[in-house]
Amino acid sequence: MTTVKLWNDAEAEADPRVKAVFDDIRATRKSDFVNNFWRGLAGQPELLAATWNRLKAVMVAPGSLDPLTKELIYVAVSTANGCSYCVHSHTAAARAKGMTEDQYAEFLAVVGMAFQTNGLVTALQIPVDPAFDASTGAS
Amino acid sequence: MTTVKLWNDAEAEADPRVKAVFDDIRATRKSDFVNNFWRGLAGQPELLAATWNRLKAVMVAPGSLDPLTKELIYVAVSTANGCSYCVHSHTAAARAKGMTEDQYAEFLAVVGMAFQTNGLVTALQIPVDPAFDASTGAS
Amino acid sequence: MTTVKLWNDAEAEADPRVKAVFDDIRATRKSDFVNNFWRGLAGQPELLAATWNRLKAVMVAPGSLDPLTKELIYVAVSTANGCSYCVHSHTAAARAKGMTEDQYAEFLAVVGMAFQTNGLVTALQIPVDPAFDASTGAS
Amino acid sequence: MTTVKLWNDAEAEADPRVKAVFDDIRATRKSDFVNNFWRGLAGQPELLAATWNRLKAVMVAPGSLDPLTKELIYVAVSTANGCSYCVHSHTAAARAKGMTEDQYAEFLAVVGMAFQTNGLVTALQIPVDPAFDASTGAS
Amino acid sequence: MTTVKLWNDAEAEADPRVKAVFDDIRATRKSDFVNNFWRGLAGQPELLAATWNRLKAVMVAPGSLDPLTKELIYVAVSTANGCSYCVHSHTAAARAKGMTEDQYAEFLAVVGMAFQTNGLVTALQIPVDPAFDASTGAS
Amino acid sequence: MTTVKLWNDAEAEADPRVKAVFDDIRATRKSDFVNNFWRGLAGQPELLAATWNRLKAVMVAPGSLDPLTKELIYVAVSTANGCSYCVHSHTAAARAKGMTEDQYAEFLAVVGMAFQTNGLVTALQIPVDPAFDASTGAS
């Protein structure tokens, strides 16, 4: 169940603003597959375009972090935010970008460790050590 | 303010279970600095030892993810879990492990993007595409 | 799957405390439909009555915020808390109270923006500007 | 404490990309005040510009939701995401856009109610009523 | 910093609705101390009274869970919701109700374990075993 | 759907590291049932063993909190972290350890109350009372 209609290809084809985004998704990813997130956003064409354009700039354009690392960061955030869909889609993306099962096991271990210490630190209300402060620009 | 006492060096020195962990932290990190998290856990020596030993196994031992990537995953989880202390300590650790300001800018862009789509996906309640399912072991 | 039984109408009818609440829900909403939340709470009649009475006071009684605005606030909280059921039920309620698709698109854009800056601010650990302080009562 | 330097006006003035954004913030808001969030983002000029431009499009441009409603949605999300800075800055913005103390009291009551039922629903794992499904587009 | 004024005793004394609640807090707790939460809610007298009355019914009235267990549940929720104030106030309340340091150490170990498996389960998107379903009322 | 394969008994039997953990789960719990969480972790044998060993130490070994109280803390954390699977499995465990329906109703009331005040406190940004500070060790 969703709170919006998921647009099929015929519906997307009929709205030029949606068609333009779906075409760019397919061209950028070199695949005919358009996943449900974009089909759910299609009813809000301005938001659809803004979201896709920003995603392309952040996740697809080459930069100083490699594509797999970016996907792992994405899955980490999505896990802690409890976004089931995002965990699924970006874990699949991480595998598509070459994540090995050894790397995934290590990723999971780090996530488990971070959750554990997040809980302990919050329960204990530990004050930040002055050594960690970067506000003076000395970092 | 905290919910527990933060143990100083003299107090830690006086309890052999705490001293053993503090000594190992210093030896492992080749630094005299013991940050507040461990000082707050010192009142629970069993939990202190279990947490440090697991952290060392996950974060310090060599593996298939490089140390900087593991820190970025840690900061990503901590950010989404809203753990202020953990964000500070692991961002500092990422810098200590060589994170450049360009990499940090890109990390922040990915975090912002992940949060944004986490919110949209949850608001829209998008169903997971069958293509993302790995339960059959075909992944 | 749930952690409790969902009470059907016959079961609700047989317990006077549950019947009283279900009757009031139907009378207040001018509808025979009682959604699953109340059916799951029926096994805890005191909690059922307290929750419904407070919900009626907060969401149904007229006040200084219009009913649609209150539903949008409800969906916003539920989205960030990751409550799938609540997102569904209060998005449906917002539509029933007149939300247009243009308003929904704008709501989603605000939610996406808020998530994004929440993530960035938490990652950066930005200190609150003194100008935002209302503790002196001057606001 | 922060994880980045907060840029002062002289530093912002010296970097044309940062200066352009700060100038636009001041012109758009008709105020000389630039709050800490933008000063913390200034070290990442591309992210600074992208975030400000999107915020301006979503929050400042006229639309089908009034400016106060948008601020209340923003505070609601920020509260549930536990973003202290964002709660402060957008509560101040809501007051600047005319929020009365009666409206604020009602906003708080809705937030408290939403949190309460979010917790109950998640503890009970209530299944979504089919009546709330909008995936067929019939909504 | 807060988003509201914290009412001092003189101000509370001057508003009969606030005075009634503060008087009841003091009588119920057999202490002159009124903590900041109630002073911050005082500007919204209806919400102040509703919140206090419900808290008294849930946390103070005798029931089938002992007072310390109820405080530990409260701290557990507050930790996972990242509510710093609530962690502080209810950890103090747990100590006031007799929590030993051994019990606290064990509480922390359970919280750390729960966080860790919450993270792993969400990352792995584990489906609920049919054996855990209670919807048929057989539990 | 999951992000990993769930190992069946034949597969678990064939890997000595997985077999050892599954055997210990069955022996410890005096039941042939191995729930999906462990089947999903089986692809990461080191993480599987570390997680089970820690869970056994924290949740099974006798201590100063009784087993039911520990399960309630676990469910409380899992609810606030939005972990559907964990809520189901540990609510079932609480029932298996003797939780009565009266106790469950009271647990739910405390969870609802904690969520509600968490939301209000975060919206109001209430500062921690100095009386709650335990950092000096005087608590």
Side-chain angles (χ1 to χ4, degrees):
Chain A
M1 285 187 272
T2 71
T3 67
V4 286
K5 193 181 70 170
L6 301 176
W7 289 38
N8 63 30
D9 285 342
E11 291 161 336
E13 201 73 19
D15 183 321
R17 297 164 305 173
V18 176
K19 179 182 181 330
V21 174
F22 277 36
D23 284 353
D24 195 36
I25 292 174
R26 287 179 164 123
T28 303
R29 294 181 167 171
K30 300 178 179 40
S31 158
D32 197 51
F33 178 59
V34 176
N35 54 305
N36 281 340
F37 176 49
W38 309 110
R39 297 180 184 281
L41 273 178
Q44 297 83 24
E46 191 277 334
L47 185 57
L48 170 70
T51 307
W52 165 249
N53 288 335
R54 183 68 188 150
L55 189 83
K56 194 166 68 162
V58 171
M59 297 300 285
V60 180
S64 55
L65 292 176
D66 64 280
L68 174 55
T69 298
K70 290 199 281 193
E71 290 296 344
L72 295 177
I73 294 164
Y74 218 114
V75 180
V77 168
S78 303
T79 299
N81 275 338
C83 182
S84 173
Y85 182 87
C86 314
V87 169
H88 272 293
S89 61
H90 289 277
T91 302
R95 283 193 168 110
K97 288 175 182 169
M99 180 177 73
T100 66
E101 290 308 300
D102 270 4
Q103 288 175 318
Y104 188 43
E106 219 164 302
F107 169 79
L108 291 168
V110 175
V111 167
M113 195 69 224
F115 262 83
Q116 183 179 1
T117 58
N118 287 179
L120 292 173
V121 161
T122 304
L124 296 168
Q125 293 288 307
I126 304 292
V128 180
D129 302 75
F132 297 146
D133 187 19
S135 64
T136 58
S139 66
Chain B
M1 284 186 269
T2 70
T3 68
V4 287
K5 193 180 69 170
L6 301 176
W7 289 38
N8 63 30
D9 285 343
E11 292 161 333
E13 201 74 18
D15 183 320
R17 296 165 306 171
V18 176
K19 179 184 184 324
V21 174
F22 278 35
D23 285 353
D24 194 36
I25 291 173
R26 288 178 164 124
T28 302
R29 295 182 166 170
K30 298 178 180 42
S31 159
D32 198 50
F33 178 58
V34 176
N35 55 306
N36 281 341
F37 177 50
W38 309 109
R39 298 181 183 281
L41 273 178
Q44 298 83 22
E46 190 278 334
L47 184 58
L48 170 70
T51 306
W52 165 249
N53 288 334
R54 185 66 188 151
L55 189 83
K56 193 166 68 162
V58 171
M59 297 301 285
V60 180
S64 54
L65 292 176
D66 64 280
L68 174 54
T69 299
K70 290 199 281 194
E71 290 297 343
L72 294 178
I73 295 164
Y74 218 115
V75 180
V77 168
S78 303
T79 299
N81 276 339
C83 182
S84 173
Y85 182 88
C86 314
V87 169
H88 271 294
S89 61
H90 289 277
T91 302
R95 283 193 169 110
K97 288 174 182 169
M99 180 177 71
T100 65
E101 290 308 301
D102 270 3
Q103 288 175 318
Y104 189 42
E106 220 164 304
F107 168 79
L108 291 168
V110 175
V111 167
M113 195 69 224
F115 263 82
Q116 183 179 2
T117 58
N118 288 179
L120 292 174
V121 161
T122 304
L124 296 168
Q125 293 287 308
I126 303 292
V128 179
D129 301 75
F132 297 147
D133 187 20
S135 64
T136 59
S139 68
Chain C
M1 283 186 270
T2 71
T3 68
V4 287
K5 192 181 69 169
L6 300 176
W7 289 38
N8 62 33
D9 285 343
E11 291 160 336
E13 203 73 19
D15 182 320
R17 296 165 305 172
V18 176
K19 180 183 182 327
V21 174
F22 278 35
D23 284 353
D24 195 35
I25 291 173
R26 288 179 163 122
T28 303
R29 295 181 168 171
K30 300 177 180 38
S31 158
D32 197 51
F33 177 59
V34 176
N35 53 306
N36 282 341
F37 177 50
W38 309 109
R39 298 181 183 280
L41 272 178
Q44 297 84 25
E46 191 277 334
L47 184 58
L48 170 70
T51 306
W52 165 251
N53 288 336
R54 184 68 188 149
L55 189 83
K56 193 166 67 161
V58 172
M59 297 300 287
V60 180
S64 55
L65 292 176
D66 65 279
L68 174 55
T69 298
K70 291 199 280 193
E71 291 296 344
L72 294 178
I73 295 164
Y74 217 114
V75 180
V77 168
S78 302
T79 299
N81 276 338
C83 182
S84 173
Y85 182 87
C86 315
V87 168
H88 271 295
S89 61
H90 289 278
T91 302
R95 284 194 168 108
K97 287 174 183 169
M99 179 177 72
T100 65
E101 290 307 302
D102 270 3
Q103 288 175 318
Y104 189 41
E106 219 165 303
F107 168 79
L108 291 169
V110 176
V111 167
M113 194 70 223
F115 262 82
Q116 183 179 0
T117 58
N118 288 179
L120 292 174
V121 161
T122 304
L124 296 168
Q125 293 288 307
I126 304 291
V128 180
D129 301 74
F132 298 146
D133 188 20
S135 63
T136 58
S139 64
Chain D
M1 284 185 271
T2 70
T3 67
V4 285
K5 193 181 68 171
L6 302 176
W7 288 38
N8 63 31
D9 285 342
E11 292 161 334
E13 201 73 20
D15 183 320
R17 296 164 307 173
V18 176
K19 179 182 184 327
V21 174
F22 278 35
D23 284 352
D24 194 36
I25 291 173
R26 288 181 164 121
T28 303
R29 295 181 167 170
K30 298 176 182 42
S31 159
D32 197 51
F33 178 57
V34 176
N35 55 306
N36 282 340
F37 177 48
W38 308 110
R39 297 181 184 281
L41 273 178
Q44 297 83 25
E46 191 279 333
L47 184 58
L48 169 70
T51 306
W52 165 250
N53 288 335
R54 184 69 188 150
L55 189 83
K56 194 167 65 161
V58 171
M59 297 301 285
V60 180
S64 54
L65 294 175
D66 65 278
L68 174 55
T69 298
K70 290 198 281 193
E71 290 297 343
L72 294 177
I73 295 164
Y74 217 114
V75 181
V77 168
S78 302
T79 300
N81 276 338
C83 181
S84 174
Y85 182 88
C86 314
V87 169
H88 271 294
S89 60
H90 288 277
T91 301
R95 283 194 169 109
K97 289 175 182 168
M99 179 176 74
T100 66
E101 289 308 301
D102 271 4
Q103 289 174 317
Y104 189 42
E106 219 164 304
F107 168 79
L108 291 169
V110 175
V111 166
M113 194 69 224
F115 262 84
Q116 183 178 1
T117 59
N118 288 178
L120 292 173
V121 161
T122 304
L124 296 168
Q125 293 287 308
I126 304 292
V128 180
D129 301 74
F132 298 146
D133 187 18
S135 63
T136 59
S139 68
Chain E
M1 284 187 270
T2 71
T3 67
V4 286
K5 193 182 68 170
L6 301 176
W7 288 38
N8 64 31
D9 284 343
E11 292 161 332
E13 203 72 21
D15 182 321
R17 296 164 306 171
V18 176
K19 179 184 184 325
V21 174
F22 277 36
D23 284 353
D24 195 37
I25 291 173
R26 287 180 164 121
T28 303
R29 294 183 168 170
K30 300 177 179 43
S31 159
D32 197 51
F33 178 58
V34 176
N35 53 306
N36 282 341
F37 176 50
W38 309 110
R39 297 181 183 280
L41 273 177
Q44 297 84 24
E46 192 277 335
L47 184 59
L48 169 70
T51 306
W52 166 250
N53 289 336
R54 184 69 189 150
L55 189 84
K56 193 166 68 161
V58 172
M59 297 301 286
V60 180
S64 55
L65 294 176
D66 65 280
L68 175 55
T69 298
K70 290 199 282 194
E71 291 296 345
L72 294 177
I73 295 164
Y74 218 114
V75 181
V77 168
S78 303
T79 299
N81 276 338
C83 182
S84 174
Y85 182 88
C86 314
V87 168
H88 271 294
S89 62
H90 289 278
T91 302
R95 284 195 169 107
K97 288 174 183 171
M99 179 177 73
T100 65
E101 289 308 301
D102 270 4
Q103 288 174 318
Y104 189 43
E106 220 164 303
F107 169 79
L108 291 169
V110 176
V111 167
M113 195 68 224
F115 263 83
Q116 183 179 1
T117 58
N118 287 180
L120 292 174
V121 161
T122 304
L124 295 169
Q125 293 287 308
I126 304 291
V128 180
D129 300 76
F132 297 147
D133 187 20
S135 63
T136 59
S139 63
Chain F
M1 285 187 270
T2 70
T3 68
V4 286
K5 194 182 68 169
L6 301 177
W7 288 39
N8 62 32
D9 285 343
E11 291 161 335
E13 202 74 18
D15 183 319
R17 296 164 307 172
V18 176
K19 179 184 184 325
V21 174
F22 277 36
D23 285 352
D24 195 36
I25 291 173
R26 288 178 164 123
T28 302
R29 295 181 168 173
K30 298 177 180 45
S31 159
D32 196 51
F33 178 58
V34 176
N35 55 307
N36 282 341
F37 177 49
W38 308 110
R39 297 181 184 281
L41 273 178
Q44 297 83 23
E46 191 278 334
L47 184 58
L48 170 71
T51 306
W52 165 250
N53 288 336
R54 184 67 188 151
L55 188 84
K56 193 166 70 162
V58 171
M59 297 300 286
V60 180
S64 54
L65 293 175
D66 64 279
L68 175 54
T69 298
K70 290 199 282 193
E71 290 296 344
L72 294 178
I73 295 164
Y74 218 114
V75 181
V77 168
S78 303
T79 299
N81 276 337
C83 182
S84 174
Y85 182 89
C86 314
V87 169
H88 271 295
S89 61
H90 288 277
T91 302
R95 283 193 169 109
K97 288 175 183 168
M99 180 177 72
T100 66
E101 290 308 301
D102 271 3
Q103 288 175 318
Y104 189 43
E106 220 165 302
F107 168 80
L108 291 169
V110 176
V111 167
M113 195 69 224
F115 263 82
Q116 182 178 2
T117 59
N118 288 179
L120 292 173
V121 162
T122 303
L124 295 168
Q125 293 288 308
I126 304 291
V128 179
D129 301 74
F132 298 146
D133 187 19
S135 64
T136 58
S139 64

